[in-house]
Amino acid sequence: MELRHLSYLLEIAKQQNMTKAAETLHLSQPTLSKIVRSVEDELGAPVFDRSGKQLKLTDSGAAAIRQIPAVLRAVQDLHTAMDDVAELKTGSIAIGLPPVIGSVFFPRVIPPFQREFPNVSFQVTEEGAKKIESLLLSGELDIGVVVGPVNAQAFHSVPFIRQRLALLVHEAHPLAGREAASIRELEQEPFILFSYGFAVRQLVLRACQAAGYEPQILHSSSQWDLMAEMVAAGVGISIVPDVICSKITDPRIRFVQLDDPVIPWQLDVIWPRDNYVPHSVRSFIKFIRLSEGMKE
């Protein structure tokens, strides 16, 4: 049985007429009828009921028709997997990035990768880490970047960068002249934090709780530049990754290192353990391992 013969059965079932199906398939009606009989012989049961004016599916035929699309998709997936082994001529990568890092890190990685592989395109989705993990597991994304640690049972990972969180204060704030501050000193401060679902927020909350208090969260936002503007206006303090500090140029803002404890911030590139990884994605992972983005 040839695979294309299975697709012929789908067209006949759609048309409910051998002659119309033959015209659509650019075959003669006798040739198509012969093919159908051959397939039925191999299956060991009739696929079509020919007793009426219109062809109808038998019970066996209906069961076969339900399975044929899955069979054809599986074969197509096989061809795709085999083609991936060949030279990477084209492809696409669906990638998930937290908004807090999308504009900071990946401009360093994607442009040089596309200079080497100009026909590979990227579809970027900006979401929090938990949503990215969910989209990866469902197959809607190929690869993602999240704040570690990573669930090693569900995902492969490559370390991308290792930094720490820093304190943002207004220039008139009592801590503005300090090189470092403790999380315990911030108990009475109004916090401006990233929104729910952002790993940075959870890191800050855990650090405050470990110091014996719940932070007073005055505002939450998914945009680091808006948070910086509120700090510059003297509304409150904020805690963000070091790399965000390098993007902030407002002269009213001072940056203070946090110690006691140091709050580490690590980014990992992740992809599901159980999903097929296309050649384009494998090439991108290899590129990331070698890129300068891996460095602090």
Side-chain angles (χ1 to χ4, degrees), residues 16-288:
Q16 296 184 311
N17 184 283
M18 192 74 69
T19 302
K20 290 182 179 179
E23 291 175 355
T24 302
L25 296 169
H26 304 292
L27 297 170
S28 68
Q29 192 272 334
T31 298
L32 184 57
S33 296
K34 183 178 179 181
I35 290 172
V36 171
R37 285 194 296 273
S38 174
V39 171
E40 290 176 326
D41 288 342
E42 289 195 51
L43 293 176
V47 175
F48 297 103
D49 177 2
R50 300 167 173 81
S51 61
K53 292 184 178 180
Q54 285 187 325
L55 287 179
K56 294 183 180 180
L57 290 169
T58 63
D59 291 343
S60 297
I65 292 298
R66 285 195 295 269
Q67 294 299 319
I68 288 173
V71 172
L72 296 177
R73 284 196 300 270
V75 173
Q76 180 60 49
D77 288 345
L78 174 61
H79 284 297
T80 299
M82 297 302 292
D83 289 343
D84 280 345
V85 178
E87 181 181 356
L88 183 60
K89 297 180 178 180
T90 186
S92 64
I93 300 173
I95 185 169
L97 302 175
V100 66
I101 63 96
S103 64
V104 177
F105 291 115
F106 269 73
R108 304 180 187 178
V109 178
I110 292 179
F113 178 80
Q114 289 189 309
R115 283 194 291 271
E116 186 170 346
F117 303 103
N119 294 320
V120 175
S121 61
F122 286 84
Q123 290 78 50
V124 178
T125 298
E126 288 193 315
E127 292 285 356
K130 293 300 181 184
K131 181 65 173 178
I132 287 174
E133 290 182 1
S134 175
L135 293 173
L136 285 168
L137 293 174
S138 69
E140 295 175 67
L141 292 177
D142 297 315
I143 194 169
V145 180
V146 300
V147 176
V150 173
N151 179 355
Q153 292 183 334
F155 299 100
H156 292 291
S157 66
V158 173
F160 185 67
I161 201 147
R162 298 291 183 262
Q163 290 193 341
R164 58 194 291 182
L165 299 186
L167 174 66
L168 306 186
V169 298
H170 186 270
E171 61 182 351
H173 192 279
L175 296 175
R178 297 260 297 271
E179 291 187 5
S182 167
I183 199 76
R184 293 180 180 86
E185 297 178 83
L186 308 178
E187 182 173 359
Q188 303 303 318
E189 299 288 343
F191 279 71
I192 302 165
L193 294 182
F194 282 105
S195 303
Y196 292 99
F198 283 75
V200 173
R201 180 189 182 96
Q202 299 307 314
L203 292 173
V204 174
L205 291 179
R206 284 198 292 267
C208 293
Q209 291 162 356
Y213 69 92
E214 292 289 339
Q216 304 174 38
I217 303 175
L218 188 62
H219 292 288
S220 298
S221 175
S222 62
Q223 304 297 322
W224 62 263
D225 49 352
L226 176 59
M227 294 163 60
E229 289 177 8
M230 286 191 278
V231 173
V235 174
I237 65 166
S238 189
I239 297 177
V240 301
D242 273 342
V243 69
I244 297 299
C245 297
S246 66
K247 304 285 287 185
I248 298 173
T249 59
D250 195 306
R252 295 170 294 174
I253 295 177
R254 298 292 182 268
F255 311 109
V256 183
Q257 288 294 330
L258 283 172
D259 56 20
D260 191 28
V262 170
I263 306 177
W265 186 69
Q266 64 186 53
L267 289 181
D268 293 306
V269 178
I270 67 172
W271 62 100
R273 286 187 175 273
D274 296 333
N275 291 16
Y276 170 71
V277 182
H279 187 55
S280 58
V281 177
R282 295 199 300 271
S283 298
F284 187 55
I285 292 168
K286 180 179 179 181
F287 188 87
I288 290 173

